[in-house]
Amino acid sequence: MSVLKPFLLLAAFAACTTVCAQETSADVESTQAKQAESSVEKTSPLEEENRTSQDEDGIEVIDIIKRDTITESALDNRLEGDKEALDNVFAITQHRQNYLLPITYVSNPNTSGNEDLTDENVDNKEAKFQVSAKLPLYLENTGFDGVYFGFTLTSFWQLYNSEASKPFRETNYEPEIFWQETADYSVLGYKFNTFQVGFNHMSNGQSGLKSRSWNRLFASIVFSDNDDIYYLKTWYRIPEDEKEDPLDPTGDDNPDIEDYYGRMEFGYGRKIGAFKVLALLRNNLDFDENRGSIQLDLTYPISDRYEILLQYFNGYGDSLIDYNRSQERIGLGFQLLFL
């Protein structure tokens, strides 16, 4: 059953009021006709306003939730692009951002992910890039709602480190499968765009002491108005057995990852002239030992397809090998148009 059916029932119940009356006498019918003409003339301003609101551009008026098929939002272009791509059987759509930062500066790089790196030869300058795509596994008749497979790869490359032969310091892999649903609803004045619920795996593809991984069940929602985009995501970590030995290939590689990486994230995007700002905040929701991170992306278009990207990160979880290591990173590069 669609997760939006309760909203539809609520809307139908709140918007519909049925008045039934039937008389068979001809005199009564005549009287009713006269009364109807009189009621049209005497309609109160409030009734007239409500009637106008209900007929206005296909929007049903409900106090909190509105069936809304015409209001524009800041995410419309992105969603339309995804829908058009689904019509092309050869196309794979963007899932998260796709970018290349040829130069970044990181304050506290961790060498644990590569045996050729040491505290003496690791370079604070490195390249960072991310590739992210999704493809549909099953779609409903609407053509957009359904089950998707998503994959994101994020890599940290010691591109300028000739002393250590320019190795990759860390690469994170994040496959996930999820249900995605869209709806034409406004909630408290904000347009509901997409809802996702699914399973996420994240690891660095390493073994032994360098291994980092975890599995999550997650739910996220995206909503927007004409200028702003909001994103909210939370998750439940699937428990793993404790390792009996640090070198044991089974068991939990990082039992305290939620205390650093976080338990939820909030995103906000806004267009300011030709610039676009995207902020992503994660938090562990622990007031005694509060930890998390913030990432700020500032983009400027250079063509219909590409943008210049300035990215800043501060906090925990810059990469999986750094999940419990506070980092500060700033980088400059390019990304595919995302919003």
Side-chain angles (χ1 to χ4, degrees):
M1 179 183 291
S2 169
V3 296
L4 296 174
K5 292 295 176 60
F7 290 103
L8 293 174
L9 294 174
L10 176 61
F13 179 78
C16 297
T17 304
T18 305
V19 179
C20 300
Q22 182 177 6
E23 300 287 348
T24 58
S25 168
D27 293 340
V28 173
E29 290 178 353
S30 175
T31 302
Q32 286 178 333
K34 293 179 181 179
Q35 290 175 344
E37 293 176 359
S38 175
S39 64
V40 170
E41 295 175 356
K42 297 180 180 180
T43 300
S44 70
L46 179 59
E47 292 173 340
E48 187 65 31
E49 180 180 349
N50 290 338
R51 181 184 304 166
T52 301
S53 298
Q54 291 176 349
D55 294 338
E56 193 178 72
D57 297 322
I59 299 179
E60 299 175 11
V61 175
I62 306 174
D63 289 339
I64 297 177
I65 303 171
K66 295 182 181 180
R67 174 71 177 178
D68 187 347
T69 59
I70 63 161
T71 301
E72 295 183 354
S73 82
L75 205 62
D76 287 347
N77 289 339
R78 169 65 194 275
L79 294 178
E80 285 301 320
D82 283 355
K83 291 177 182 179
E84 292 176 6
L86 289 176
D87 295 331
N88 184 348
V89 295
F90 300 102
I92 298 177
T93 58
Q94 287 195 80
H95 182 34
R96 300 179 187 171
Q97 293 162 277
N98 287 265
Y99 58 78
L100 168 63
L101 302 175
I103 180 66
T104 72
Y105 182 88
V106 59
S107 62
N108 190 23
N110 194 339
T111 64
S112 301
N114 190 298
E115 59 185 12
D116 294 325
L117 292 174
T118 66
D119 292 338
E120 287 72 30
N121 67 13
V122 69
D123 197 341
N124 294 89
K125 300 185 298 297
E126 61 184 11
K128 176 186 177 184
F129 62 86
Q130 178 168 288
V131 179
S132 183
K134 67 181 179 183
L135 56 93
L137 302 179
Y138 162 79
L139 294 176
E140 289 193 327
N141 294 332
T142 57
F144 196 54
D145 300 343
V147 179
Y148 289 79
F149 172 77
F151 181 79
T152 302
L153 179 149
T154 308
S155 199
F156 306 84
W157 182 14
Q158 291 269 293
L159 178 60
Y160 308 99
N161 193 342
S162 299
E163 182 180 349
S165 191
K166 304 180 180 180
F168 283 85
R169 186 174 62 87
E170 169 83 339
T171 297
N172 295 158
Y173 309 90
E174 196 167 356
E176 51 193 343
I177 186 169
F178 56 91
W179 172 270
Q180 176 174 287
E181 185 159 342
T182 60
D184 295 318
Y185 282 91
S186 292
V187 180
L188 297 175
Y190 294 95
K191 188 171 181 179
F192 174 89
N193 298 110
T194 62
F195 170 81
Q196 294 180 354
V197 58
F199 169 82
N200 172 286
H201 171 76
M202 190 176 182
S203 71
N204 66 351
Q206 300 278 14
S207 60
L209 295 176
K210 296 183 290 185
S211 178
R212 301 286 185 273
S213 67
W214 62 329
N215 299 311
R216 293 175 287 171
L217 300 176
F218 72 89
S220 68
I221 185 173
V222 177
F223 53 99
S224 59
D225 56 25
N226 193 46
D227 300 311
D228 309 283
I229 298 171
Y230 303 88
Y231 158 80
L232 185 63
K233 179 178 180 180
T234 188
W235 51 80
Y236 166 75
R237 185 188 181 186
I238 299 176
E240 297 180 68
D241 294 334
E242 184 179 352
K243 282 181 178 289
E244 296 182 1
D245 183 276
L247 296 177
D248 188 350
T250 63
D252 197 341
D253 293 325
N254 29 249
D256 58 348
I257 189 170
E258 286 184 297
D259 295 332
Y260 293 89
Y261 189 92
R263 293 177 173 84
M264 59 84 65
E265 61 187 15
F266 171 76
Y268 172 74
R270 183 178 179 87
K271 185 175 181 180
I272 306 173
F275 291 92
K276 294 174 186 174
V277 177
L278 183 63
L280 183 65
L281 294 88
R282 289 198 305 261
N283 197 269
N284 65 0
L285 304 180
D286 187 335
F287 294 102
D288 293 328
E289 296 185 66
N290 193 259
R291 301 186 185 97
S293 67
I294 180 170
Q295 179 175 304
L296 297 174
D297 292 347
L298 178 66
T299 62
Y300 185 85
I302 55 177
S303 72
D304 292 338
R305 186 179 296 270
Y306 299 105
E307 302 172 306
I308 294 176
L309 169 64
L310 176 65
Q311 184 179 93
Y312 173 76
F313 177 91
N314 194 321
Y316 294 90
D318 183 40
S319 69
L320 270 182
I321 203 70
D322 294 325
Y323 83 89
N324 58 356
R325 188 181 184 113
S326 182
Q327 296 279 20
E328 189 172 13
R329 178 190 300 274
I330 187 168
L332 181 66
F334 309 90
Q335 78 169 14
L336 287 176
L337 186 68
F338 185 65
L339 296 177

